[in-house]
Every structure is written in C-alpha cells, then in structure tokens.
Amino acid sequence: MKITAARVIVCSPGRNFVTLKIETDQGVTGIGDATLNGRELSVVSYLEDHVIPCLMGRDPQQIEDIWQYLYKGAYWRRGPVTMSAIAAVDTALWDIKAKMANMPLYQLLGGRSRTGVMVYGHANGRDTAETVDEVLRHKEEGYLAIRAQSGVPGLNKVYGVSGHHGASRMYEPADGNLPSEHDWSTEKYLRHTPGLFEAVREAVGPDVHLLHDVHHRLTPIEAGQLGKALEPVRMFWMEDPTPAENQDAFQWIRHHTTTPIAVGEIFNSIWDCKTLIEKQLIDYIRTTVVHAGGITHLRRIADLASLYQVRTGCHGATDLSPVCMGAALHFDTWVPNFGVQEFMPHSEEMLSVFPHDYRFERGMMYCGESPGHGVDIDEKLAAKYPYQRAYLPVNRLQHDGTLWNW
C-alpha cells in the first residue's frame, strides 16, 4: 500500500480551516485537521512545500515511522506550525488505518473506556446576571459541566464574551481585518470574578461542574489569590491561570490554592507539559490532536499524565475543525484518564462542509461507529468558502497601553 497523492484544502465557512487529504493506491483516503488559528497559511506552506513531497510512495500503515520521520527528520523540532502539520498527517493516517481495519478509530486505539464523553459548554454574558441566565440555559440543555465567562465592569472587551447577546458561541470571525485590541485590568477582574461565581453557584446548585478560563492573564501569585477566592465555589477547574512557558511558576499557584488547574491548549509537545505533569502542578492537560502532533503524540502525553493522576481536558473551540473534534472524541472514548472535553458547537454552515457522525445528547458527546474517525469534507462545498485573512485579538493594559497576554 502506498500514498499516491496528498493535498491541502483551505476553506472559511465562518472561519478558516485547513484540511489535509491523503490518497492511497488502494482507493482509501484519510483527512486530518491542520488549522492553526491566525497562522493558517504558514501550515499550508509547511505541508505543501516540505511535508507532502516526503509522503509520496510511503506506506500509510507505518504511522509511527512516518511520525518520527517528520519530527526527527526535519531537524527543527516542535513549534505550532511543525506540530500542526505533523498532526494533520498523523490524523489522516489513523483515519486510513481504521478504514482499512473496517472499524471506528476508538476500537483501533484499544476500545472503549466509557460509554460517552462528558463535555462542557460555554455560558458567556455581558454581566453577572446575563452569565447566570446562560449557565441556567446550558443546565436545561443537559450540560453537566459549564464554563462561565462574564464581562467585567470598566472593561470594554473581555475574553470569551460577545459584544451582543446571542452571539457568544463564535469568537473572532474570519473577516480579513488586522488584530483587534482589547483592554485589560487585573485589579478589576480580580474584584469581579469571585462574586460572579458566587452568584452562578447559588443559581445552579451544587451538582453542576463549573469552569473558568483566565486565559493567561495573571501572574502566579495573582492566580493563587483568585484560586483561593474561588475555593468555596468548588470549581471543576481554573484554566490557563498564568503563561506556562515557565513551568515551575505553577508551584507558586499550588502553594496558595487547592482549586484544580487546567492548562495546555497552546502546547505543542510533551516537553511543554513534562514538568507540570511530573511535579503534579496541574490537574488537567488540555493539549489537542491538531496542535500536539496528532493522535500518536497525544497518546504519549496522556500516558505520562496518567502516571501522576492528571486527566485530559482537550481544547474544543471552533478554531479547530470538525475533523479535529471527530478525532478527539474517538481519543476521549478510549483514553483511560479522561477528564472532560470542551464543546463549542460549530455552525450549521461549518458542519455542512464537514459531514460527520458524532452527536451531542444531554451533556455528553458520542463518536460514531463508521470506520475511521467519522468525519469527511465536501470539497465542492468547501470551494465556495475561500480563505479570509483573520487574526486573534491582542491585549493591552488599560492604564498605560502595555501589551499584555491575550
């Protein structure tokens, strides 16, 4: 069996997605997500100019060898562009292998560890009252775990919160503009957030899991202060409390709070989280199939995490395509140390481009039983949605304009 062709498909049905399709001489094809939000075309170039020529004529069944070839053989290792490209190849090859075996991907990985995958939804509001209403709406929809984000008095824009009601499920649109700029005040945020979650917990009761994304905004000691203040609410997790380049910094958060910590959606390899896991400085690792080198490498991260009772909590916003969600759900169904899966629903426009067999039911998601990872791409429909340049925002401190972490 040989790889005979591979091509990159770029489309923007509401936001940009990059998909790699690999073809074989036996007519079996596989697809993988290669989307890197805000830097999509860099991955396209890496795949088309460097990776795809190296795949021609190779046996697609040799997933491990191809992964090592693309990682070690390039000499320049890691990084979001490289690992997203490797992930696309890896996911497509697992899709092909599972189709060749005529079984859903989770069976090829080792079978089920659970009947379904608990997911958390996004409840976002312009103020505390609106956020509480959104949390209650998600509870009515059956969500067992809910992430709450709120506008902060005195700040014009806050991460995760739409400028108008009813549009909170989409982030930055693919509109071709340069990065928007948000303002930030740690002092105002820290004053507001504990009260937000007191109100949410009182409204929703004790049984719903509550999550919150700090989005890298705090120093370690500030994160410790927030975690301490949130302890009475019994959070499921506090996500990305501080930038994680310095992994040892998380020990200072641990010294000050027992609120569980989740981190890793921007991680690219096991080395990004090695210290965090081995020193048990986090409780959930949020690396994704597409940004952490595919299923092959994500399995290694999960296996390391399991030794230290760290569970998975894969990123699942709409900056990942339905291809990544399909692969993630098969991974979640198999992985023994699963925690939760983020679920930000794609629009109908997006889903029409990517036919899929996974489904959501009352707070749980279920991967399908078709061979492979269960997601395909309608190339003719995708061609109707050409790429549009788009960026994530940047953040500046409100009082003096210093660039801050978004």
Side-chain angles (χ1 to χ4, degrees):
M1 190 177 188
K2 293 183 178 180
I3 296 173
T4 56
R7 62 183 180 279
V8 181
I9 305 157
V10 182
C11 63
S12 187
R15 67 185 311 156
N16 293 318
F17 297 123
V18 180
T19 307
L20 174 68
K21 187 168 189 176
I22 295 178
E23 300 177 357
T24 69
D25 59 357
Q26 295 189 22
V28 182
T29 64
I31 62 172
D33 186 13
T35 306
L36 182 61
N37 194 1
R39 296 295 185 269
E40 299 90 354
L41 297 187
S42 296
V43 186
V44 173
S45 174
Y46 195 95
L47 284 167
E48 291 183 339
D49 297 334
H50 305 291
V51 172
I52 288 177
C54 295
L55 296 177
M56 296 303 101
R58 292 187 176 274
D59 184 349
Q61 299 172 99
Q62 305 303 316
I63 297 176
E64 184 65 43
D65 184 70
I66 291 174
W67 195 97
Q68 298 293 339
Y69 181 87
L70 296 176
Y71 182 81
K72 295 178 179 177
Y75 185 66
W76 309 106
R77 302 183 183 184
R78 303 165 59 189
V81 173
T82 294
M83 298 305 281
S84 296
I86 292 175
V89 174
D90 188 76
T91 303
L93 295 183
W94 278 104
D95 192 26
I96 289 170
K97 185 178 279 286
K99 288 174 180 175
M100 291 293 293
N102 195 33
M103 61 176 60
L105 177 55
Y106 76 84
Q107 291 286 18
L108 196 63
L109 295 176
R112 288 186 178 275
S113 292
R114 56 199 47 83
T115 56
V117 173
M118 183 175 75
V119 298
Y120 69 88
H122 292 193
N124 310 322
R126 292 167 293 185
D127 53 30
T128 296
E130 190 170 278
T131 302
V132 169
D133 288 344
E134 282 292 295
V135 170
L136 292 173
R137 181 178 68 81
H138 278 74
K139 182 180 179 182
E140 286 298 311
E141 291 179 1
Y143 282 93
L144 307 173
I146 304 168
R147 192 192 81 168
Q149 307 290 136
S150 169
V152 174
L155 294 181
N156 293 325
K157 294 181 180 180
V158 177
Y159 165 77
V161 180
S162 172
H164 55 280
H165 186 64
S168 60
R169 294 192 177 191
M170 296 294 290
Y171 290 161
E172 295 302 300
D175 58 9
N177 291 329
L178 294 176
S180 61
E181 297 198 1
H182 295 184
D183 58 348
W184 178 251
S185 167
T186 298
E187 296 80 7
K188 292 175 181 178
Y189 169 78
L190 289 178
R191 283 198 300 268
H192 173 73
T193 304
L196 164 70
F197 279 94
E198 288 176 8
V200 169
R201 178 59 78 196
E202 182 178 359
V204 81
D207 296 329
V208 173
H209 299 305
L210 295 180
L211 304 84
H212 179 65
D213 189 355
V214 183
H215 222 250
H216 319 278
R217 304 296 172 86
L218 305 179
T219 65
I221 195 65
E222 291 166 347
Q225 293 169 357
L226 177 61
K228 185 73 171 178
L230 293 175
E231 284 178 10
V233 182
R234 298 188 64 83
M235 300 288 290
F236 186 88
W237 79 34
M238 175 175 65
E239 178 185 342
D240 288 337
T242 196
E245 287 92 342
N246 178 10
Q247 297 182 40
D248 282 330
F250 279 69
Q251 66 183 309
W252 303 111
I253 305 175
R254 278 290 203 226
H255 287 168
H256 292 280
T257 182
T258 58
T259 294
I261 298 170
V263 71
E265 70 180 48
I266 65 171
F267 289 174
N268 309 129
S269 82
I270 199 168
W271 301 102
D272 295 322
C273 52
K274 179 178 180 289
T275 298
L276 292 170
I277 290 171
E278 290 180 340
K279 293 187 177 181
Q280 296 181 274
L281 300 177
I282 60 173
D283 303 279
Y284 297 89
I285 182 64
R286 287 186 29 76
T287 47
T288 68
V289 171
V290 65
H291 294 147
I295 292 167
T296 295
H297 197 60
L298 191 56
R299 291 181 80 180
R300 293 197 173 97
I301 293 173
D303 284 342
L304 174 64
S306 71
L307 300 180
Y308 299 93
Q309 296 183 311
V310 174
R311 293 183 285 175
T312 64
C314 293
H315 177 63
T318 52
D319 60 344
L320 312 178
S321 87
V323 178
C324 186
M325 177 58 74
L329 290 173
H330 282 270
F331 175 86
D332 297 335
T333 299
W334 159 77
V335 68
N337 52 319
F338 172 76
V340 70
Q341 169 67 54
E342 181 178 16
F343 175 50
M344 188 179 179
H346 291 96
S347 68
E348 289 301 317
E349 191 176 39
M350 296 172 181
L351 293 175
S352 66
V353 174
F354 296 94
H356 59 284
D357 64 358
Y358 61 76
R359 69 189 193 280
F360 170 83
E361 292 179 10
R362 303 296 297 174
M364 306 288 285
M365 288 191 75
Y366 302 88
C367 60
E369 294 294 324
S370 57
H373 55 51
V375 184
D376 203 350
I377 184 169
D378 184 331
E379 295 187 59
K380 290 184 178 179
L381 186 57
K384 297 180 179 180
Y385 301 103
Y387 167 81
Q388 301 181 57
R389 186 178 65 188
Y391 295 92
L392 292 170
V394 298
N395 228 26
R396 293 187 181 275
L397 293 183
Q398 190 176 58
H399 69 279
D400 70 357
T402 300
L403 197 71
W404 203 243
N405 301 298
W406 188 82

